[in-house]
Each structure stands twice: as C-alpha cells, then as structure tokens.
C-alpha cells in the first residue's frame, strides 16, 4: 500500500507541479520549502488527497510542514487510516 | 497596556529570523520627485547620491510630468484635499465618475469602478462574483494580491502551470460540472515580464464556457498599439470579462486601481465589494491628475512608442554585451544571475556606479532563479540607457559572467 501511495502522490506532484518531464523527485524531496509547490497551490494538493481518499483534512493539520514531502503526506494520511 | 516582554521578544525574534533568512527589506529614502534621475539617501544618514532609476514602475515617465502635476494642483484647488467618506455615502465627485468613464473608454470595456488600489480591486472582486459552487482557475504565478483575493473567496481553487495551455484545458475539463468558472491571470507577469497568452486563453474560455479575468497592472498605458493593455497586444479587446489595473504604475504612479469589464460585474462590485464599500474614496487630487493622464495617453502614443524603442534598444545592447536575459518585448528586463548573493552583490556595485536596480531572489522568485530586474521607462533618454549598459558591462566583467549562459553561471557561483 505504502509504495502504491508513494507512487500515486509522486506522479500527481510531477504531473501538476513540474514543468520539465525529466525532473525527478522522490518521497523525501522537499516540495514547499524548496519552492516546487508554493504554499497557496498546496490547497490543490490537499483537495487531491481529500477527494482521492474521501477524507477531510482540518486546517490545523494542513500545515506547510505536513505537505513538505511525500513522506510527510503519508504520515499525515496515516492519521486518517488510509496509509 | 499588555504589550509584555513576552510579546516584544516574540516579535523581535521574528524580525531576527527575517534577517537571518536574508529577506529583510530596507527602505531607501528618495529626496527628489520620481523620475529617471533621483537623489537617494542610502544607507540612512549618507549624503544623498544622484542615481539613474531603473527600478520604478514609472513606465511612461508620467509620475512627475508637469501637466499631471498642474492637473493635481487644479484638482486640489477646485475639489479639495479629502472627501472624508466612502464612495456610496458622500465620496463620489463628478471627477470620480469622469475618471471611470474615461477608463472604460480607454480600456474598451463596458463599465469601470474605482478602488483605493489594484490590491483592493483584486481583494474584492472574486468574492463578489463567485461562490462555493464556482471555480477559480488561476495561473500559478499570479500576483500576490490575486492570491489574497482568491483566499477571501469561497469558490473552489484550481491552478495551472505557468502559461501552460494544455494544463489549463485539463482544469477546464475537470471543472465542467461547476456553476461558474473564471480563468485568472496577470496580463504581464511582474518578475519575468512575460505576457499571458490571452488569445489562446480566450479561445479556451469560449470553448469551455468560462469567464476571463486579467490583472493588467504592468501593461495598462503602454502594451498594445494604443497602449490599452495586454488585451490590445494580444488582439482580444472585448473578450476579457474583468480587467483589474492600477493607477500606481504607468498611469501617473500615485495610487488607485479599478475593476473594469462586464457591466453587471461592475454593478455588483458597487453593491458588494468590501474594499470599495469600507475604504475611503480616492482623493480628488489623484483623481484629477489621473483624468489628465488618460487625456495625455489618449491624445498621442508618443510616450508608449518611446518606451517600446527604449526597451528594444536596452534589450538588444544588453544581449550583445553578453548578459543572459529573459527574451521578450516588455520593459521589465530580467538579467538572470541564478545565484542570490551574486544578484545582491551586483546590484550593490551598480548602485555605486550610479545605477539603482534591485536584486530579486527566493522566495520572491523561484529558488535558483535570482536576477536583477531592470525596468525601462519612457523617462529614460538614450544617454541614460547607455550609462546603465556601460555600468552593467563593467560590473558583469568584474564578476566574469559576460557571454555565459545559465549552466556556466551556476557552475561558477552555484544556485
């Protein structure tokens, strides 16, 4: 499950945020603090996870830190028993 | 008073963190009117130094134009200093209405409403026209004021990769079941000077039944043959539903902004836009001067023509000198340096040479894309441009970057 989940989120981030198809990211790549995902368009990432897993992530948990890497997002999803 | 040491220490620490991150912004005191030549006291306490200004949004050189100043004096004498009111109570004079009518005609729209600033126009407009059943589909590099406006609106947010029309189309397909949709973009993006593909955006908007909103702050007055803006430049006059723009850049540079576009949307803004309803009206002195600005640029395109010529001259000469410049036609000319410290060091050295420019780095621009942003003006004469080009060439040679492309500069200085 975890590997599938990693791939799912990495593929989404690559498709949605990277301009160059040859750019690579992995589960520990910093997304927000490195500027790949800006803190505002992080909302789209949150919506993607919420729709995909039919959960609602409350604002206090939707921090820039929680979305800063695929690993962090998986840890967040664990709290909702979907990872 | 409960401003305890705890609060003071907390805020002091925040300031220290900004300083440590290298993003602390310092003001420089200018002791002259805005123009091509200005006297700057920097650092604080230093003897004022005469420098050439290459970092103002004074695109048409109208900030200190004698006829504009005269119109401001006349406005002050005939309509007073302040209105002490919002627009809808007792803050609308005949000259406010006159300015709205002139802007409508100049921009080629149906109607216009003034705001205290374009920041306020952007903060107010989305919440007026869209709700949670609707979608805002924005370019990812839109100006911070649009981001703030979208945050204040309950509509669902989607964004597309910068100027990527395929990605925009995907988002339009994805949101087809929603009630109303609006594509949101800057006309000209302020850090790169690149121009939105408004012709393609309008085609997609028509294909998928979406509205189009453009913030044209870095274009109104000079982009397009008659200076009407990016919509004229791209040949889509009449196809943009909302234009927001500022009077604080090319149009005299004082303050004020507007929402211009479809009549119903402008009418709704008069009823519901919070920055319009709850903020003071624009002062008569600025309105009177802005009316004169619209008269001046409607009468002749000389200033925007000179700006276009200056921009081409500067871009051509800087490219020939060996600088890595983002290609384009806009007077925002990004001199790409990639490394933040290099951008800061070169801007400091250029100031010593009498050229006032600013280095920009993360988080204002993406990481590894530090640059000096030069802004050309119609107020610049050929000798000003030549002096700047010579200073850039001297400093560029000092840092050994002339003739080098991205990879070579990064190899030399790192990101």
């Amino acid at each position: 499950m975890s590997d599938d989940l990693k791939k799912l989120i990495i593929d989404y981030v690559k498709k949605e945020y990277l301009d160059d198809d040859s750019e690579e990211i992995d589960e520990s790549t910093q997304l927000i603090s490195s500027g790949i995902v800006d803190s505002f368009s992080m909302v789209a990432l949150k919506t993607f996870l919420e729709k995909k897993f039919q959960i609602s992530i409350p604002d206090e948990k939707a921090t820039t830190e929680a979305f800063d890497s695929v690993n962090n997002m998986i840890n967040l999803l664990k709290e909702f028993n979907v990872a | 008073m409960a401003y305890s040491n705890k609060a003071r220490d907390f805020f002091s620490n925040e300031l220290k963190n900004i300083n440590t991150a290298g993003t602390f912004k310092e003001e420089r005191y200018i002791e002259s009117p805005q123009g091509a030549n200005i006297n700057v006291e920097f650092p604080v306490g230093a003897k004022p130094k005469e420098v050439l200004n290459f970092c103002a949004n004074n695109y048409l050189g109208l900030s200190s134009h004698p006829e504009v100043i005269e119109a401001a004096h006349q406005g002050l004498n005939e309509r007073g200093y302040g209105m002490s009111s919002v627009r809808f109570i007792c803050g609308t004079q005949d000259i406010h209405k006159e300015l709205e009518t002139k802007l409508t005609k100049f921009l080629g729209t149906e109607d216009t409403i003034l705001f205290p600033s374009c920041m306020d126009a952007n903060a107010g407009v989305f919440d007026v026209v869209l709700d949670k059943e609707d979608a805002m589909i924005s370019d990812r590099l839109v100006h911070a004021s649009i981001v703030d406006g979208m945050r204040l609106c309950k509509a669902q947010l989607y964004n597309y990769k910068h100027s990527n029309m395929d990605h925009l189309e995907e988002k339009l397909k994805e949101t087809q079941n929603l009630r109303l949709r609006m594509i949101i973009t800057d006309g000209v993006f302020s850090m790169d000077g690149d121009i939105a593909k408004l012709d393609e955006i309008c085609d997609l908007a028509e294909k998928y039944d979406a509205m189009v909103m453009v913030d044209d702050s870095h274009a109104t007055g000079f982009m397009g043959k008659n200076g009407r803006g990016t919509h004229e430049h791209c040949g889509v006059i009449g196809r943009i539903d909302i234009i927001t723009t500022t009077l604080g850049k090319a149009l005299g540079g004082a303050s004020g902004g507007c929402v211009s576009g479809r009549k119903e949307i402008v009418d709704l803004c008069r009823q519901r836009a919070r920055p319009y309803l709850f903020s003071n009206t624009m002062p008569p002195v600025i309105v009177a001067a802005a009316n004169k600005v619209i008269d001046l640029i409607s009468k002749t395109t000389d200033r925007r023509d000179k700006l276009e010529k200056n921009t081409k001259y500067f871009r051509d000469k800087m490219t020939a000198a060996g600088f890595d410049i983002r290609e384009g036609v806009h007077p925002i000319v990004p001199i790409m340096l990639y490394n933040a410290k290099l951008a800061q060091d070169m801007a400091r050295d250029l100031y010593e040479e009498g050229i006032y420019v600013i280095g920009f780095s993360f988080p204002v621009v993406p990481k590894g894309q530090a640059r000096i942003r030069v802004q050309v003006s119609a107020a610049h004469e050929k000798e000003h441009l030549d002096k700047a080009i010579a200073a850039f060439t001297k400093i560029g040679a000092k840092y050994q970057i002339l003739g080098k492309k991205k990879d070579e500069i990064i190899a030399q200085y790192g990101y």
Side-chain angles (χ1 to χ4, degrees), chain A residues 1 4 7-8 18 30 32-33 35 38-39 43 55 57 60 66 71 73 77 83:
Chain A
M1 175 63 186
D4 289 348
K7 187 174 177 325
L8 178 85
L18 300 184
Q30 290 187 325
I32 294 166
S33 48
D38 66 79
S39 57
V43 176
I55 55 173
I57 303 171
E60 64 270 20
N71 277 340
M73 280 181 256
L77 291 172

Side-chain angles (χ1 to χ4, degrees), chain A residues 12 14-19 32-35 38-41 43-44 47 51, chain B residues 138 140 147 150-151 156-159 161-162 164 167 170-171 174 362 366-367:
Chain A
Y12 179 81
K14 282 176 74 172
K15 176 176 155 290
E16 285 295 313
Y17 295 97
L18 300 184
D19 285 320
I32 294 166
S33 48
S34 71
D38 66 79
S39 57
F40 187 54
S41 55
V43 176
T47 309
K51 278 190 180 163
Chain B
S138 93
R140 208 159 269 162
V147 171
M150 292 193 293
R151 281 185 206 275
Q156 297 168 42
L157 174 73
Y158 294 81
N159 45 43
K161 295 179 195 176
H162 178 50
N164 185 323
H167 202 215
E170 267 180 46
K171 298 296 160 192
E174 213 178 294
F362 184 77
K367 245 180 198 165

Side-chain angles (χ1 to χ4, degrees), chain B residues 121-270:
Chain B
N122 287 338
V125 68
F126 303 114
D127 187 44
V128 167
V129 291
L130 300 172
D131 211 333
K132 53 183 184 299
E133 303 88 345
D134 308 319
M136 305 177 283
I137 307 172
S138 93
D139 187 289
R140 208 159 269 162
L141 289 191
V142 289
H143 189 259
S145 58
I146 291 186
V147 171
D148 285 0
M150 292 193 293
R151 281 185 206 275
L152 292 168
C153 175
K154 293 184 205 72
Q156 297 168 42
L157 174 73
Y158 294 81
N159 45 43
Y160 58 95
K161 295 179 195 176
H162 178 50
S163 277
N164 185 323
M165 295 298 106
D166 293 336
H167 202 215
L168 168 59
E169 187 162 13
E170 267 180 46
K171 298 296 160 192
L172 286 163
K173 284 180 183 164
E174 213 178 294
T175 52
Q176 239 161 350
N177 58 340
L178 295 176
R179 187 180 62 177
L180 296 171
R181 293 174 299 160
M182 186 180 287
I183 303 170
I184 297 163
T185 181
D186 289 3
V188 171
F189 293 87
S190 60
M191 282 298 139
D192 290 315
D194 61 326
I195 296 161
K197 299 166 184 165
L198 289 188
D199 46 350
E200 293 179 52
I201 288 174
C202 286
D203 289 347
L204 284 171
E206 276 154 31
K207 184 174 172 190
Y208 291 95
D209 187 23
M211 295 177 280
V212 179
M213 179 274 178
V214 178
D215 177 336
D216 225 14
S217 293
H218 284 280
T220 304
F222 58 94
M223 289 302 288
K225 200 161 64 68
N226 298 292
R228 297 185 198 287
T230 314
H231 56 322
E232 185 185 29
H233 178 86
C234 296
V236 293
I237 286 182
R239 294 173 73 193
I240 307 295
D241 304 296
I242 299 174
I243 295 171
T244 60
T245 192
T246 181
L247 300 165
K249 292 186 166 68
L251 305 184
S255 69
C258 70
V259 169
S260 191
R262 303 299 176 198
K263 189 172 183 323
E264 299 75 19
I265 291 175
V266 170
D267 283 346
L268 267 181
C269 282
R270 282 190 209 283

Side-chain angles (χ1 to χ4, degrees), chain B residues 38-51:
Chain B
I38 52 172
N39 294 323
V40 185
E41 176 192 321
F42 183 77
V44 175
K47 188 168 162 261
K49 178 182 166 78
E50 189 178 324
V51 293

